[in-house]
Amino acid sequence: MFKDITDFIKQQFPNQDFIPLHEPRFIGNEKKYLNDCIDSTYVSYVGEYVTKFEQQIIDYTGAKYAKATVNGTTALHIALIAVGVDVDDEVITQSLTFVATANAIAYQKAHPVFVDVDRDTMGMSPSSLRDFLSAHVELKNNIPYNKTTNRKIAACVPMHTFGHPCKIDEIVTICNKYNIPVIEDAAESLGSFYKDQHTGTYGKIGILSFNGNKTITCGGGGMVITDDKNLSDKITHLTTTAKIPHKWEYEHDEIGYNYRLTNVSAALGCAQMESLSDFIKNKRELAAIYHDFFQQKNIEFINEPLNSQSNYWLNTILFKDGTERDEFLDFSNSNGVMARPIWKLMNTLNMFKACQTTDLTNSIYLSERLVNIPSSIRIK
Ligand SMILES: *Cc1c(COP(=O)(O)O)cnc(C)c1O
């Protein structure tokens, strides 16, 4: 049975000895644009590709503003700063996520609070969030405080897991009642839409990642998207060392960051954006092929949730228990097919052990059983 699965995956990626989880593909103007950077000497963060890349993201996602950053983690960090997350605040997120989400919160010396996910989306559960807020949070002068810890709740960061949109409209509605700004960690979901609207555009701010393993890549890169001009201006300022624009004077009016994406990375991003629609089509075809195969095998394949169109960044299957999962991981990884369990839950990591959590039944269930399987764009 495990052999059937790995043989089938190998058929999808012929002529490869080892099949990784997600490889980048450069089949367009990448080399041409990189050469332009070198020929023009604009290799650092001033240059036409940065602006062009931001415009492509605006056009594709429908956000009003986009600001490129050196990676997705810094995009998250700057987004948290922009909405005012500060020392000793609390930020609600999900326990089932990549560590960058929780790390960015910790960079501000704020405390993550981990709520549960839904079984179908693998993203933040609106009911778990609602339960937490109604049990623990009260508004004082319209500012939300955790009654147990007396700390301010400064933001909520839901994540669209493996590209599948979470129920983001419900999450935003709940958070609005408590005046909690939502920052969407859409690092994995470029090309994923919820109710025909791009993920990352429901909250006050959304962030994207262009790391080497994501749907498109700049080598390393990130983006902050928002409809709010003030936030966008603040992010531009903070990511460029908070320098007051002037032809020759160097004056900075607060502690800023060197988080701007370089023109070289943006050049790659521009070429990759030109391939994005084809990439998504290709990935959705692979997901349909996997779906049919695993249905025959009686293994649960995670489909896009209701009301959404997913980029199927990483295809995911669910084993009946942790033992079966581990046997599969052992077999596939020793037979040239990379497969990987999902992340350890954030609240089990040493640095986040003491953080407040809700009941995490779904997170625990999923983290013991889910496996990501190879999901690269297939070259025909
Ligand atoms: C990839 C990722 C990030 C961080 O992106 P980098 O570009 O690698 O810094 C953040 N959150 C999630 C959920 C991710 O998958």
Side-chain angles (χ1 to χ4, degrees), residues 34-104:
L34 286 174
N35 274 331
D36 283 349
C37 292
I38 292 167
D39 292 343
S40 71
T41 77
Y42 281 95
V43 293
S44 201
Y45 76 66
V46 177
E48 61 174 290
Y49 285 111
V50 179
T51 321
K52 194 175 154 204
F53 186 37
E54 290 169 341
Q55 190 58 47
Q56 284 172 308
I57 291 292
I58 289 169
D59 295 342
Y60 188 83
T61 61
K64 283 208 181 100
Y65 305 96
K67 294 292 161 198
T69 58
V70 289
N71 55 46
T73 309
T74 52
L76 266 174
H77 185 204
I78 220 72
L80 291 165
I81 296 172
V83 301
V85 174
D86 211 340
V87 179
D88 244 6
D89 287 345
E90 291 183 0
V91 176
I92 302 169
T93 189
Q94 56 204 58
S95 58
L96 192 161
T97 186
F98 178 56
V99 72
T101 320
N103 278 345

Side-chain angles (χ1 to χ4, degrees), residues 213-276:
N213 64 346
K214 296 281 160 57
T215 300
I216 65 162
T217 186
C218 301
M223 192 77 73
V224 183
I225 56 179
T226 183
D227 282 349
D228 185 319
K229 182 163 193 314
N230 288 332
L231 286 175
S232 166
D233 290 347
K234 196 164 172 180
I235 286 160
T236 306
H237 191 60
L238 284 170
T239 51
T240 52
T241 66
K243 184 179 178 294
I244 300 168
H246 191 280
K247 272 209 168 91
W248 58 85
E249 294 282 9
Y250 267 75
E251 192 178 341
H252 309 260
D253 59 0
E254 60 187 305
I255 293 175
Y257 299 82
N258 183 11
Y259 280 181
R260 272 301 257 176
L261 189 69
T262 68
N263 205 41
V264 172
S265 303
L268 261 186
C270 286
Q272 291 268 287
M273 276 305 285
E274 293 167 357
S275 299
L276 180 59

Side-chain angles (χ1 to χ4, degrees), residues 5-300:
I5 301 175
T6 51
D7 284 349
F8 186 78
I9 294 173
K10 282 178 186 167
Q11 281 168 29
Q12 310 314 312
F13 299 93
N15 311 317
Q16 268 182 273
D17 291 339
F18 173 77
I19 302 165
L21 214 54
H22 206 287
E23 284 183 291
R25 299 279 185 240
F26 303 115
I27 53 173
N29 286 318
E30 283 84 358
K31 285 186 181 167
K32 179 171 177 281
Y33 295 169
L34 286 174
N35 274 331
D36 283 349
C37 292
I38 292 167
D39 292 343
S40 71
T41 77
Y42 281 95
V43 293
S44 201
Y45 76 66
V46 177
E48 61 174 290
Y49 285 111
V50 179
T51 321
K52 194 175 154 204
F53 186 37
E54 290 169 341
Q55 190 58 47
Q56 284 172 308
I57 291 292
I58 289 169
D59 295 342
Y60 188 83
T61 61
K64 283 208 181 100
Y65 305 96
K67 294 292 161 198
T69 58
V70 289
N71 55 46
T73 309
T74 52
L76 266 174
H77 185 204
I78 220 72
L80 291 165
I81 296 172
V83 301
V85 174
D86 211 340
V87 179
D88 244 6
D89 287 345
E90 291 183 0
V91 176
I92 302 169
T93 189
Q94 56 204 58
S95 58
L96 192 161
T97 186
F98 178 56
V99 72
T101 320
N103 278 345
I105 297 165
Y107 295 164
Q108 280 308 90
K109 305 237 180 307
H111 304 267
V113 172
F114 299 113
V115 300
D116 205 7
V117 295
D118 281 329
R119 274 284 309 270
D120 56 343
T121 67
M122 303 175 291
M124 185 177 283
S125 158
S127 64
S128 176
L129 173 67
R130 192 183 295 114
D131 290 350
F132 171 78
L133 292 173
S134 63
H136 296 284
V137 176
E138 66 179 354
L139 289 169
K140 289 186 218 160
N141 295 324
N142 265 332
I143 297 167
Y145 284 91
N146 184 330
K147 285 185 281 193
T148 324
T149 58
N150 274 321
R151 293 176 185 139
K152 181 181 153 189
I153 313 263
C156 176
V157 189
M159 197 275 278
H160 302 288
T161 307
F162 308 132
H164 296 307
C166 65
K167 294 167 190 132
I168 188 63
D169 54 347
E170 286 181 52
I171 290 168
V172 169
T173 304
I174 296 165
C175 286
N176 282 347
K177 285 195 188 123
Y178 289 87
N179 279 325
I180 299 171
V182 173
I183 296 170
E184 284 178 77
D185 184 343
E188 305 181 354
S189 65
L190 177 64
S192 298
F193 294 79
Y194 182 72
K195 295 184 177 169
D196 294 327
Q197 187 180 324
H198 199 278
T199 50
T201 62
Y202 281 85
K204 261 203 170 326
I205 300 183
I207 74 96
L208 305 170
S209 164
F210 311 105
N211 191 33
N213 64 346
K214 296 281 160 57
T215 300
I216 65 162
T217 186
C218 301
M223 192 77 73
V224 183
I225 56 179
T226 183
D227 282 349
D228 185 319
K229 182 163 193 314
N230 288 332
L231 286 175
S232 166
D233 290 347
K234 196 164 172 180
I235 286 160
T236 306
H237 191 60
L238 284 170
T239 51
T240 52
T241 66
K243 184 179 178 294
I244 300 168
H246 191 280
K247 272 209 168 91
W248 58 85
E249 294 282 9
Y250 267 75
E251 192 178 341
H252 309 260
D253 59 0
E254 60 187 305
I255 293 175
Y257 299 82
N258 183 11
Y259 280 181
R260 272 301 257 176
L261 189 69
T262 68
N263 205 41
V264 172
S265 303
L268 261 186
C270 286
Q272 291 268 287
M273 276 305 285
E274 293 167 357
S275 299
L276 180 59
S277 296
D278 288 342
F279 283 4
I280 301 288
K281 188 159 167 274
N282 190 306
K283 289 175 74 63
R284 289 180 59 82
E285 280 164 11
L286 176 63
I289 292 166
Y290 277 149
H291 167 89
D292 291 349
F293 172 77
F294 286 109
Q295 199 159 37
Q296 286 166 27
K297 294 283 162 203
N298 236 334
I299 289 176
E300 189 177 332

